[in-house]
mmCIF file of all heavy atoms in Angstrom:
data_model
loop_
_atom_site.group_PDB
_atom_site.id
_atom_site.type_symbol
_atom_site.label_atom_id
_atom_site.label_comp_id
_atom_site.label_asym_id
_atom_site.label_seq_id
_atom_site.Cartn_x
_atom_site.Cartn_y
_atom_site.Cartn_z
ATOM 1 N N LEU A 1 0.804 -1.227 0.000
ATOM 2 C CA LEU A 1 0.000 0.000 0.000
ATOM 3 C C LEU A 1 0.838 1.278 0.000
ATOM 4 O O LEU A 1 0.589 2.171 -0.819
ATOM 5 C CB LEU A 1 -0.990 0.004 1.172
ATOM 6 C CG LEU A 1 -1.895 1.236 1.193
ATOM 7 C CD1 LEU A 1 -2.729 1.337 -0.080
ATOM 8 C CD2 LEU A 1 -2.804 1.245 2.419
ATOM 9 N N PRO A 2 1.827 1.455 0.896
ATOM 10 C CA PRO A 2 2.612 2.693 0.827
ATOM 11 C C PRO A 2 3.312 2.876 -0.522
ATOM 12 O O PRO A 2 3.447 4.013 -1.008
ATOM 13 C CB PRO A 2 3.640 2.524 1.957
ATOM 14 C CG PRO A 2 3.000 1.576 2.912
ATOM 15 C CD PRO A 2 2.249 0.613 2.048
ATOM 16 N N LEU A 3 3.730 1.779 -1.142
ATOM 17 C CA LEU A 3 4.387 1.873 -2.447
ATOM 18 C C LEU A 3 3.396 2.288 -3.526
ATOM 19 O O LEU A 3 3.714 3.100 -4.405
ATOM 20 C CB LEU A 3 5.030 0.533 -2.798
ATOM 21 C CG LEU A 3 6.127 0.068 -1.834
ATOM 22 C CD1 LEU A 3 6.546 -1.363 -2.149
ATOM 23 C CD2 LEU A 3 7.337 0.998 -1.891
ATOM 24 N N LEU A 4 2.176 1.736 -3.474
ATOM 25 C CA LEU A 4 1.151 2.133 -4.434
ATOM 26 C C LEU A 4 0.784 3.603 -4.256
ATOM 27 O O LEU A 4 0.547 4.320 -5.238
ATOM 28 C CB LEU A 4 -0.087 1.248 -4.275
ATOM 29 C CG LEU A 4 0.097 -0.229 -4.617
ATOM 30 C CD1 LEU A 4 -1.160 -1.020 -4.260
ATOM 31 C CD2 LEU A 4 0.440 -0.423 -6.088
ATOM 32 N N MET A 5 0.747 4.076 -3.007
ATOM 33 C CA MET A 5 0.458 5.483 -2.752
ATOM 34 C C MET A 5 1.558 6.370 -3.315
ATOM 35 O O MET A 5 1.291 7.460 -3.855
ATOM 36 C CB MET A 5 0.278 5.712 -1.257
ATOM 37 C CG MET A 5 -0.950 5.016 -0.683
ATOM 38 S SD MET A 5 -1.072 5.115 1.125
ATOM 39 C CE MET A 5 -1.519 6.837 1.324
ATOM 40 N N LEU A 6 2.789 5.919 -3.210
ATOM 41 C CA LEU A 6 3.910 6.671 -3.788
ATOM 42 C C LEU A 6 3.795 6.711 -5.308
ATOM 43 O O LEU A 6 4.018 7.764 -5.937
ATOM 44 C CB LEU A 6 5.225 6.032 -3.362
ATOM 45 C CG LEU A 6 6.516 6.665 -3.894
ATOM 46 C CD1 LEU A 6 6.610 8.130 -3.481
ATOM 47 C CD2 LEU A 6 7.735 5.888 -3.396
ATOM 48 N N MET A 7 3.442 5.586 -5.921
ATOM 49 C CA MET A 7 3.241 5.554 -7.374
ATOM 50 C C MET A 7 2.124 6.511 -7.791
ATOM 51 O O MET A 7 2.227 7.209 -8.805
ATOM 52 C CB MET A 7 2.895 4.136 -7.819
ATOM 53 C CG MET A 7 3.986 3.110 -7.600
ATOM 54 S SD MET A 7 3.328 1.434 -7.911
ATOM 55 C CE MET A 7 4.582 0.431 -7.118
ATOM 56 N N ASP A 8 1.027 6.528 -7.014
ATOM 57 C CA ASP A 8 -0.078 7.439 -7.303
ATOM 58 C C ASP A 8 0.415 8.888 -7.289
ATOM 59 O O ASP A 8 0.071 9.689 -8.157
ATOM 60 C CB ASP A 8 -1.190 7.289 -6.254
ATOM 61 C CG ASP A 8 -1.898 5.950 -6.317
ATOM 62 O OD1 ASP A 8 -1.962 5.363 -7.413
ATOM 63 O OD2 ASP A 8 -2.385 5.494 -5.272
ATOM 64 N N PHE A 9 1.203 9.227 -6.276
ATOM 65 C CA PHE A 9 1.703 10.600 -6.134
ATOM 66 C C PHE A 9 2.570 10.992 -7.322
ATOM 67 O O PHE A 9 2.453 12.106 -7.855
ATOM 68 C CB PHE A 9 2.505 10.714 -4.831
ATOM 69 C CG PHE A 9 3.098 12.073 -4.602
ATOM 70 C CD1 PHE A 9 2.311 13.118 -4.162
ATOM 71 C CD2 PHE A 9 4.451 12.291 -4.836
ATOM 72 C CE1 PHE A 9 2.864 14.382 -3.955
ATOM 73 C CE2 PHE A 9 5.007 13.549 -4.638
ATOM 74 C CZ PHE A 9 4.206 14.594 -4.189
ATOM 75 N N VAL A 10 3.433 10.068 -7.761
ATOM 76 C CA VAL A 10 4.320 10.352 -8.894
ATOM 77 C C VAL A 10 3.517 10.500 -10.183
ATOM 78 O O VAL A 10 3.764 11.410 -10.991
ATOM 79 C CB VAL A 10 5.372 9.237 -9.045
ATOM 80 C CG1 VAL A 10 6.176 9.415 -10.334
ATOM 81 C CG2 VAL A 10 6.315 9.230 -7.838
ATOM 82 N N SER A 11 2.522 9.629 -10.368
ATOM 83 C CA SER A 11 1.776 9.601 -11.627
ATOM 84 C C SER A 11 0.758 10.729 -11.744
ATOM 85 O O SER A 11 0.471 11.209 -12.848
ATOM 86 C CB SER A 11 1.037 8.258 -11.762
ATOM 87 O OG SER A 11 1.917 7.170 -11.678
ATOM 88 N N LEU A 12 0.211 11.162 -10.608
ATOM 89 C CA LEU A 12 -0.947 12.048 -10.632
ATOM 90 C C LEU A 12 -0.676 13.355 -11.362
ATOM 91 O O LEU A 12 -1.520 13.840 -12.129
ATOM 92 C CB LEU A 12 -1.404 12.322 -9.195
ATOM 93 C CG LEU A 12 -2.737 13.058 -9.027
ATOM 94 C CD1 LEU A 12 -3.874 12.286 -9.684
ATOM 95 C CD2 LEU A 12 -3.035 13.267 -7.537
ATOM 96 N N ARG A 13 0.499 13.932 -11.149
ATOM 97 C CA ARG A 13 0.745 15.255 -11.732
ATOM 98 C C ARG A 13 0.821 15.218 -13.256
ATOM 99 O O ARG A 13 0.559 16.222 -13.910
ATOM 100 C CB ARG A 13 2.022 15.863 -11.152
ATOM 101 C CG ARG A 13 3.327 15.246 -11.621
ATOM 102 C CD ARG A 13 4.505 15.915 -10.921
ATOM 103 N NE ARG A 13 5.783 15.501 -11.473
ATOM 104 C CZ ARG A 13 6.394 16.139 -12.453
ATOM 105 N NH1 ARG A 13 5.836 17.205 -13.028
ATOM 106 N NH2 ARG A 13 7.573 15.725 -12.907
ATOM 107 N N PHE A 14 1.140 14.054 -13.823
ATOM 108 C CA PHE A 14 1.239 13.948 -15.277
ATOM 109 C C PHE A 14 -0.146 13.886 -15.935
ATOM 110 O O PHE A 14 -0.266 14.129 -17.139
ATOM 111 C CB PHE A 14 2.047 12.713 -15.664
ATOM 112 C CG PHE A 14 3.496 12.799 -15.289
ATOM 113 C CD1 PHE A 14 3.966 12.194 -14.127
ATOM 114 C CD2 PHE A 14 4.403 13.493 -16.078
ATOM 115 C CE1 PHE A 14 5.295 12.270 -13.767
ATOM 116 C CE2 PHE A 14 5.738 13.573 -15.732
ATOM 117 C CZ PHE A 14 6.185 12.963 -14.573
ATOM 118 N N PHE A 15 -1.164 13.534 -15.163
ATOM 119 C CA PHE A 15 -2.504 13.388 -15.721
ATOM 120 C C PHE A 15 -3.512 14.315 -15.043
ATOM 121 O O PHE A 15 -4.707 14.137 -15.179
ATOM 122 C CB PHE A 15 -2.964 11.927 -15.583
ATOM 123 C CG PHE A 15 -2.099 10.945 -16.313
ATOM 124 C CD1 PHE A 15 -1.098 10.239 -15.643
ATOM 125 C CD2 PHE A 15 -2.255 10.740 -17.676
ATOM 126 C CE1 PHE A 15 -0.295 9.336 -16.312
ATOM 127 C CE2 PHE A 15 -1.459 9.833 -18.356
ATOM 128 C CZ PHE A 15 -0.471 9.144 -17.679
ATOM 129 N N TRP A 16 -2.998 15.320 -14.325
ATOM 130 C CA TRP A 16 -3.854 16.182 -13.515
ATOM 131 C C TRP A 16 -4.903 16.887 -14.383
ATOM 132 O O TRP A 16 -4.586 17.505 -15.389
ATOM 133 C CB TRP A 16 -3.013 17.215 -12.773
ATOM 134 C CG TRP A 16 -3.845 18.015 -11.811
ATOM 135 C CD1 TRP A 16 -4.394 19.242 -12.001
ATOM 136 C CD2 TRP A 16 -4.236 17.606 -10.498
ATOM 137 N NE1 TRP A 16 -5.109 19.639 -10.908
ATOM 138 C CE2 TRP A 16 -5.028 18.653 -9.958
ATOM 139 C CE3 TRP A 16 -3.993 16.454 -9.730
ATOM 140 C CZ2 TRP A 16 -5.574 18.572 -8.684
ATOM 141 C CZ3 TRP A 16 -4.539 16.396 -8.466
ATOM 142 C CH2 TRP A 16 -5.308 17.449 -7.956
ATOM 143 N N GLY A 17 -6.167 16.784 -13.948
ATOM 144 C CA GLY A 17 -7.251 17.495 -14.593
ATOM 145 C C GLY A 17 -7.805 16.844 -15.836
ATOM 146 O O GLY A 17 -8.805 17.316 -16.394
ATOM 147 N N GLY A 18 -7.208 15.731 -16.283
ATOM 148 C CA GLY A 18 -7.663 15.111 -17.523
ATOM 149 C C GLY A 18 -8.742 14.067 -17.340
ATOM 150 O O GLY A 18 -9.144 13.416 -18.299
ATOM 151 N N TRP A 19 -9.236 13.910 -16.117
ATOM 152 C CA TRP A 19 -10.169 12.839 -15.823
ATOM 153 C C TRP A 19 -11.607 13.202 -16.175
ATOM 154 O O TRP A 19 -11.947 14.372 -16.424
ATOM 155 C CB TRP A 19 -10.088 12.464 -14.347
ATOM 156 C CG TRP A 19 -10.139 13.640 -13.412
ATOM 157 C CD1 TRP A 19 -11.233 14.383 -13.072
ATOM 158 C CD2 TRP A 19 -9.029 14.210 -12.713
ATOM 159 N NE1 TRP A 19 -10.889 15.368 -12.198
ATOM 160 C CE2 TRP A 19 -9.540 15.287 -11.955
ATOM 161 C CE3 TRP A 19 -7.659 13.907 -12.628
ATOM 162 C CZ2 TRP A 19 -8.724 16.073 -11.122
ATOM 163 C CZ3 TRP A 19 -6.856 14.697 -11.816
ATOM 164 C CH2 TRP A 19 -7.387 15.763 -11.080
ATOM 165 N N HIS A 20 -12.470 12.160 -16.167
ATOM 166 C CA HIS A 20 -13.912 12.335 -16.377
ATOM 167 C C HIS A 20 -14.538 12.560 -15.007
ATOM 168 O O HIS A 20 -14.670 11.624 -14.210
ATOM 169 C CB HIS A 20 -14.492 11.089 -17.051
ATOM 170 C CG HIS A 20 -15.943 11.206 -17.370
ATOM 171 N ND1 HIS A 20 -16.891 10.352 -16.856
ATOM 172 C CD2 HIS A 20 -16.620 12.098 -18.148
ATOM 173 C CE1 HIS A 20 -18.085 10.689 -17.305
ATOM 174 N NE2 HIS A 20 -17.957 11.751 -18.083
ATOM 175 N N ARG A 21 -14.925 13.778 -14.724
ATOM 176 C CA ARG A 21 -15.320 14.178 -13.375
ATOM 177 C C ARG A 21 -16.474 13.351 -12.799
ATOM 178 O O ARG A 21 -16.382 12.879 -11.660
ATOM 179 C CB ARG A 21 -15.668 15.663 -13.367
ATOM 180 C CG ARG A 21 -16.012 16.204 -11.986
ATOM 181 C CD ARG A 21 -16.287 17.698 -12.056
ATOM 182 N NE ARG A 21 -16.723 18.212 -10.773
ATOM 183 C CZ ARG A 21 -15.914 18.572 -9.790
ATOM 184 N NH1 ARG A 21 -14.609 18.487 -9.966
ATOM 185 N NH2 ARG A 21 -16.374 19.032 -8.643
ATOM 186 N N PRO A 22 -17.584 13.141 -13.535
ATOM 187 C CA PRO A 22 -18.674 12.340 -12.943
ATOM 188 C C PRO A 22 -18.232 10.930 -12.546
ATOM 189 O O PRO A 22 -18.614 10.422 -11.489
ATOM 190 C CB PRO A 22 -19.735 12.311 -14.048
ATOM 191 C CG PRO A 22 -19.454 13.511 -14.881
ATOM 192 C CD PRO A 22 -17.964 13.660 -14.860
ATOM 193 N N SER A 23 -17.416 10.290 -13.390
ATOM 194 C CA SER A 23 -16.938 8.942 -13.074
ATOM 195 C C SER A 23 -16.059 8.959 -11.828
ATOM 196 O O SER A 23 -16.145 8.051 -10.982
ATOM 197 C CB SER A 23 -16.164 8.361 -14.257
ATOM 198 O OG SER A 23 -16.999 8.156 -15.363
ATOM 199 N N VAL A 24 -15.219 9.966 -11.723
ATOM 200 C CA VAL A 24 -14.340 10.084 -10.549
ATOM 201 C C VAL A 24 -15.175 10.178 -9.277
ATOM 202 O O VAL A 24 -14.941 9.454 -8.294
ATOM 203 C CB VAL A 24 -13.413 11.307 -10.683
ATOM 204 C CG1 VAL A 24 -12.728 11.616 -9.352
ATOM 205 C CG2 VAL A 24 -12.371 11.068 -11.761
ATOM 206 N N LEU A 25 -16.152 11.059 -9.268
ATOM 207 C CA LEU A 25 -16.964 11.256 -8.069
ATOM 208 C C LEU A 25 -17.754 9.999 -7.717
ATOM 209 O O LEU A 25 -17.832 9.603 -6.546
ATOM 210 C CB LEU A 25 -17.909 12.434 -8.276
ATOM 211 C CG LEU A 25 -17.248 13.820 -8.385
ATOM 212 C CD1 LEU A 25 -18.285 14.891 -8.700
ATOM 213 C CD2 LEU A 25 -16.509 14.166 -7.097
ATOM 214 N N ALA A 26 -18.362 9.365 -8.725
ATOM 215 C CA ALA A 26 -19.163 8.164 -8.456
ATOM 216 C C ALA A 26 -18.301 7.026 -7.919
ATOM 217 O O ALA A 26 -18.681 6.357 -6.946
ATOM 218 C CB ALA A 26 -19.881 7.733 -9.735
ATOM 219 N N LEU A 27 -17.160 6.791 -8.532
ATOM 220 C CA LEU A 27 -16.298 5.701 -8.082
ATOM 221 C C LEU A 27 -15.739 5.967 -6.691
ATOM 222 O O LEU A 27 -15.654 5.056 -5.857
ATOM 223 C CB LEU A 27 -15.156 5.487 -9.087
ATOM 224 C CG LEU A 27 -15.558 4.910 -10.441
ATOM 225 C CD1 LEU A 27 -14.371 4.911 -11.395
ATOM 226 C CD2 LEU A 27 -16.115 3.497 -10.294
ATOM 227 N N MET A 28 -15.375 7.217 -6.418
ATOM 228 C CA MET A 28 -14.845 7.545 -5.091
ATOM 229 C C MET A 28 -15.898 7.337 -4.007
ATOM 230 O O MET A 28 -15.630 6.715 -2.968
ATOM 231 C CB MET A 28 -14.347 8.987 -5.067
ATOM 232 C CG MET A 28 -13.022 9.220 -5.766
ATOM 233 S SD MET A 28 -12.537 10.968 -5.620
ATOM 234 C CE MET A 28 -10.902 10.931 -6.370
#
């Protein structure tokens, strides 16, 4: 889990804002 969280942190900035907002909210 801590390693996956680190991967998320590294990856997130490269894809920031490009997501489908309704899907993000529903899945979360």
Side-chain angles (χ1 to χ4, degrees):
L1 182 60
L3 298 171
L4 295 173
M5 294 173 73
L6 179 58
M7 296 170 197
D8 292 331
F9 178 77
V10 172
S11 303
L12 189 59
R13 73 182 188 91
F14 292 98
F15 299 97
W16 187 263
W19 48 75
H20 183 240
R21 184 178 175 84
S23 294
V24 167
L25 293 175
L27 291 173
M28 284 181 175

